[in-house]
Amino acid sequence: MKHFFLTGVALLLAWAALSQSDTTIYKAVTEMPRLLTPCETLDTTMAAKQQCANQIMLQYVYERVVYPQAAIQQGIEGTAVITFVVEKDGSISGTQIARDLGGGTGPAALSVVLRMQEDGIRWVPGQMNGQPVRVQFNLPIRFKLEDPDPFVLVGRDTVYTQFDEALSFKGGVEALQTFLADALTYPASGNEDCRMGQIDIQVLVESDGNVRILDVTDYNDLGFDFWYAAIDAATSTYGQWNPARFQGRAVNSAFDLSLSFTPVDPGCAAAADAFVAAHNAANEGVDMVNEGRVEEGLAKISAAVAAFPDDAQLRSLRGQVYLSQNQLSEACEDLRCPPHRTHALVRRGHRCSM
């Protein structure tokens, strides 16, 4: 009997030693590992502690994971998985990528887990029959491209870019062109030197139909008198718009207006005809380039630029053709510092900021 008792004690001691040196890595245990957090001090159930720890772990991960630019550009989204072993002492080891979506998502997810180790974050080890054991833990990290906002912020203005119904002028595009032609007045000061050219106005049509100016682009350096003439014509469209609608309600939306100025003095007729001819020739040159007649088309555009060297539209047109032909130095000459100027308008008073 004494013999059997000593044998039983020996077996118990051997089992205890074996349990201490057990190197088995479990995948399923009675109590899974969890991040060591203040949740452990809560007087609550084990399930509640597990849920609390998971929430803190996810917050840690998603505050630090960086969506790789390559994955964004390739439209890659999904769930990467990092696997590691939670040791009996709460440390982690054997960290590696179990699922990689590509585009750098795997390494991005891995870096967050490695940072846990660097930050000294510990885990509550998994339990099997009341004893801490080594457990393989799989951490899924989701990469999801956010849907773009349906609007952009321009200064303090919210300008919608997505609509259920787009902004429209009452009566359509032809009605808008007729309205602007009647509303636009050529400044008398321009007749002195036969100034001509184009000014683009970006208007904000608010949800209540009010019209304000967001931006003015003067392609030919026409000056203040022309800016204000263009602004007056643009703002006179108040009440003539059907505001854009998004999700059943009227919203702010922007619209670009192009306003052409031609001198009315009879002495400027020849210059005006030459200006129109130059732009028509440049457009013909672009058509030639698109047809494969590059040299002929460029020559035509360059002739137009030579006739009106300060016209930013003509230079920009030629610069884009140069760029398409990989003639970078020539393109830079036309596009680097165009002679037109863009003036952002202050909300009140239509004051131009240089």
Side-chain angles (χ1 to χ4, degrees):
M1 189 70 178
K2 183 176 179 180
H3 172 74
F4 287 109
F5 175 75
L6 291 176
T7 302
V9 170
L11 288 172
L12 287 172
L13 291 174
W15 179 87
L18 180 62
S19 66
Q20 292 296 322
S21 60
D22 184 11
T23 58
T24 303
I25 298 176
Y26 293 84
K27 294 185 178 181
V29 291
T30 53
E31 185 179 317
M32 288 296 291
R34 61 185 179 275
L35 206 64
L36 180 60
T37 70
C39 305
E40 298 302 313
T41 63
L42 299 178
D43 185 14
T44 184
T45 64
M46 186 59 63
K49 290 181 179 180
Q50 186 77 56
Q51 182 180 9
C52 179
N54 286 343
Q55 290 175 345
I56 293 176
M57 178 180 66
L58 290 175
Q59 181 179 355
Y60 177 94
V61 168
Y62 288 111
E63 283 180 352
R64 291 162 177 80
V65 69
V66 177
Y67 211 130
Q69 191 62 36
I72 294 174
Q73 292 174 346
Q74 297 172 46
I76 295 174
E77 55 183 354
T79 302
V81 178
I82 303 301
T83 186
F84 51 88
V85 175
V86 178
E87 300 289 349
K88 298 177 186 179
D89 62 358
S91 63
I92 62 177
S93 65
T95 305
Q96 57 184 316
I97 301 170
R99 181 193 297 163
D100 190 348
L101 303 171
T105 53
L110 179 64
S111 67
V112 177
V113 177
L114 295 177
R115 182 169 175 177
M116 282 186 185
Q117 294 174 282
E118 294 173 1
D119 290 344
I121 292 176
R122 309 292 287 186
W123 290 67
V124 177
Q127 302 277 324
M128 177 64 81
N129 299 323
Q131 298 294 322
V133 292
R134 306 175 73 208
V135 179
Q136 181 178 335
F137 191 93
N138 296 324
L139 176 62
I141 299 179
R142 189 180 183 192
F143 291 86
K144 185 174 186 338
L145 295 170
E146 297 293 333
D147 293 331
D149 290 329
F151 57 82
V152 295
L153 295 177
V154 181
R156 297 181 181 179
D157 294 309
T158 300
V159 182
Y160 277 75
T161 56
Q162 297 179 28
F163 335 95
D164 300 327
E165 298 177 26
L167 173 69
S168 62
F169 191 81
K170 295 177 180 178
V173 176
E174 290 185 5
L176 173 60
Q177 293 173 344
T178 300
F179 185 95
L180 291 175
D182 293 338
L184 188 62
T185 301
Y186 184 90
S189 60
N191 287 314
E192 298 176 3
D193 51 2
C194 298
R195 268 177 284 171
M196 66 196 84
Q198 178 178 315
I199 289 180
D200 284 355
I201 299 278
Q202 186 177 60
V203 296
L204 174 67
V205 180
E206 297 177 318
S207 58
D208 61 1
N210 186 40
V211 177
R212 292 194 291 106
I213 306 298
L214 289 178
D215 191 67
V216 176
T217 303
D218 181 0
Y219 287 99
N220 303 87
D221 202 15
L222 297 174
F224 283 101
D225 289 348
F226 288 81
W227 301 347
Y228 288 121
I231 290 170
D232 285 341
T235 54
S236 70
T237 61
Y238 170 76
Q240 302 297 317
W241 298 90
N242 298 310
R245 301 188 70 82
F246 181 74
Q247 295 184 347
R249 62 188 178 89
V251 294
N252 298 349
S253 182
F255 196 92
D256 294 327
L257 303 174
S258 293
L259 303 170
S260 297
F261 289 91
T262 303
V264 296
D265 189 289
C268 296
D273 290 343
F275 182 82
V276 172
H279 277 263
N280 288 339
N283 290 331
E284 291 173 6
V286 172
D287 290 339
M288 291 177 181
V289 171
N290 291 333
E291 293 169 0
R293 299 152 61 192
V294 178
E295 291 186 8
E296 188 178 354
L298 266 174
K300 208 168 188 67
I301 299 171
S302 294
V305 172
F308 294 91
D310 293 330
D311 190 307
Q313 281 184 305
L314 295 177
R315 283 193 172 274
S316 178
L317 200 62
R318 186 174 66 176
Q320 291 172 27
V321 173
Y322 279 139
L323 200 59
S324 70
Q325 300 302 312
N326 204 33
Q327 296 179 240
L328 301 183
S329 60
E330 293 87 347
C332 286
E333 187 64 28
D334 280 336
L335 300 175
R336 176 182 54 188
C337 187
H340 76 272
R341 295 178 298 193
T342 301
H343 308 273
L345 298 179
V346 176
R347 178 172 303 201
R348 294 183 179 84
H350 294 152
R351 178 172 63 83
C352 291
S353 175
M354 299 295 290

